[in-house]
Amino acid sequence: MNDLVVQPDGKILVASGLVYRLLPNGTHDPTFSNAVGTEVRRIQLQPDGRILAVVEQSPFNPDLVRLMPNGELDPSFSFDLSGYSIDAMELLPSGQILAAVDYNGTGSKLLRFNSDGTQDNTFNCCPGPDLGGVGRILLQPDGRILVSGTFNAYNGAARPRLVRLESNGNVDLSFDAGSSSSGPNLSPMLLRADGRILCSGTFSTVQGQNIPGLVQLLP
């Protein structure tokens, strides 16, 4: 199983090869049509019931499609960077999509797309990470964006492995998690109700302290 989402009505979307929907009791929902026809890596549910799906067009180039609530492909959605690798994705309350896309072969950059799949060029995406790319995206309730990856700097600011962005993509200079060592990145991440941030990974030290594997950061 690659991903799992519970709908507000209790039905369960399952990405396991294709996308399936189960009734709350776990039985198959016959009203859902699996129209993807290829391996699905990740799914996210929009507030209107439509489903974003990262699908595998080739082993190294997953694509982004959108399904209608009944599982049919949504013809109104056309992803601007179709055919490029998508490393992470987050749905915004506005219906826009944050996606880490590797479109130049040097590592993924965080881009913002409109609800129809077209790129939103008002989002400050570049130069983005100085090396590697974006691994995880976590949206805060205030609209700011936590981004982790294998980078040492982001948009020119020294931010090893973890950066916080303003909603327009600019680096939030008030947030600096310092350095970590002996690990490729700080991910996955989890935001607590009080704003503190849990980060896991293969690191051994954070900000000069011996904290192997799991750290909690202040807002």
Side-chain angles (χ1 to χ4, degrees), residues 77-84 113-114 116-121:
F77 184 85
S78 179
F79 189 51
D80 258 3
L81 292 179
S82 178
Y84 292 96
F113 298 87
N114 298 310
D116 61 356
T118 57
Q119 186 174 345
D120 177 5
N121 292 314

Side-chain angles (χ1 to χ4, degrees), residues 1 4-6 9-14 20-30:
M1 183 183 300
L4 187 72
V5 173
V6 179
D9 61 3
K11 294 180 179 180
I12 307 160
L13 292 166
V14 180
Y20 304 92
R21 189 165 65 192
L22 307 178
L23 298 173
N25 64 2
T27 59
H28 179 253
D29 181 359

Side-chain angles (χ1 to χ4, degrees), residues 96-137:
Q96 291 181 305
I97 305 155
L98 287 171
V101 184
D102 185 357
Y103 62 91
N104 58 10
T106 61
S108 56
K109 296 185 184 300
L110 187 61
L111 309 176
R112 188 167 66 193
F113 298 87
N114 298 310
S115 60
D116 61 356
T118 57
Q119 186 174 345
D120 177 5
N121 292 314
T122 66
F123 185 79
N124 182 17
C125 69
C126 301
D130 63 333
L131 51 86
V134 172
R136 297 292 178 103
I137 311 165

